[in-house]
Amino acid sequence: QYLLDNFEQETTICRENGGECKRDADAIRRALGLRTTTDPLFQIEKVFAKGKYMDIDPDNLDAYFEAVEEWESAVSMSNSMAFISQFGEYNPGGGADQVLKFLNESKKQVLAAEKSLGTIIRCLNL
């Protein structure tokens, strides 16, 4: 939620002493657990895979597995868009607007991932 509430600030890096500012997608990838082993959601899919062994209400099983699939899809798409944004300025016809376009697409997928994570948490009664 922090990333979404502070998206522009977290995806903008400025050089010291008032230098040039650039948009950067690393904050997105960190929030989704895709950068380092110290990221809070690092390899969370392994935890989700163990859901079949947890005591989940049978009425919530379909919703749980659907939410896990949606999570994986959203994270994959967000990661792709974040990665592509890093090269938006260098592509033909690119520029800061292309970087922003891909960052915004990545943000949409972060919103979808957040929704899926909420469903997973509810299904696990956490």
Side-chain angles (χ1 to χ4, degrees), residues 21-40:
C21 294
K22 294 180 83 175
R23 300 301 296 266
D24 185 75
D26 267 356
I28 296 168
R29 299 179 75 225
R30 274 193 310 275
L32 295 174
L34 302 171
R35 290 292 295 151
T36 69
T37 58
T38 59
D39 295 337

Side-chain angles (χ1 to χ4, degrees), residues 7-108:
F7 191 78
E8 187 165 341
Q9 174 187 335
E10 289 298 310
T11 59
T12 303
I13 295 180
C14 297
R15 292 185 183 179
E16 292 183 25
N17 300 325
E20 178 186 19
C21 294
K22 294 180 83 175
R23 300 301 296 266
D24 185 75
D26 267 356
I28 296 168
R29 299 179 75 225
R30 274 193 310 275
L32 295 174
L34 302 171
R35 290 292 295 151
T36 69
T37 58
T38 59
D39 295 337
L41 294 175
F42 180 73
Q43 294 188 347
I44 192 69
E45 308 82 32
K46 290 181 178 182
V47 175
F48 296 159
K50 294 180 182 185
K52 59 186 167 193
Y53 304 115
M54 296 179 189
D55 188 25
I56 300 176
D57 181 348
D59 293 338
N60 290 335
L61 275 176
D62 287 340
Y64 175 79
F65 288 113
E66 184 176 317
V68 168
E69 285 180 25
E70 289 170 357
W71 163 268
E72 291 170 353
S73 176
V75 167
S76 178
M77 283 298 297
S78 183
N79 187 34
S80 295
M81 294 296 107
F83 181 79
I84 292 168
S85 77
Q86 301 293 81
F87 303 100
E89 287 187 56
Y90 309 110
N91 292 331
D97 57 332
Q98 287 298 311
V99 172
L100 187 58
K101 172 187 167 187
F102 288 111
L103 281 175
N104 285 332
E105 288 299 318
S106 184
K107 182 180 180 181
K108 289 178 188 176

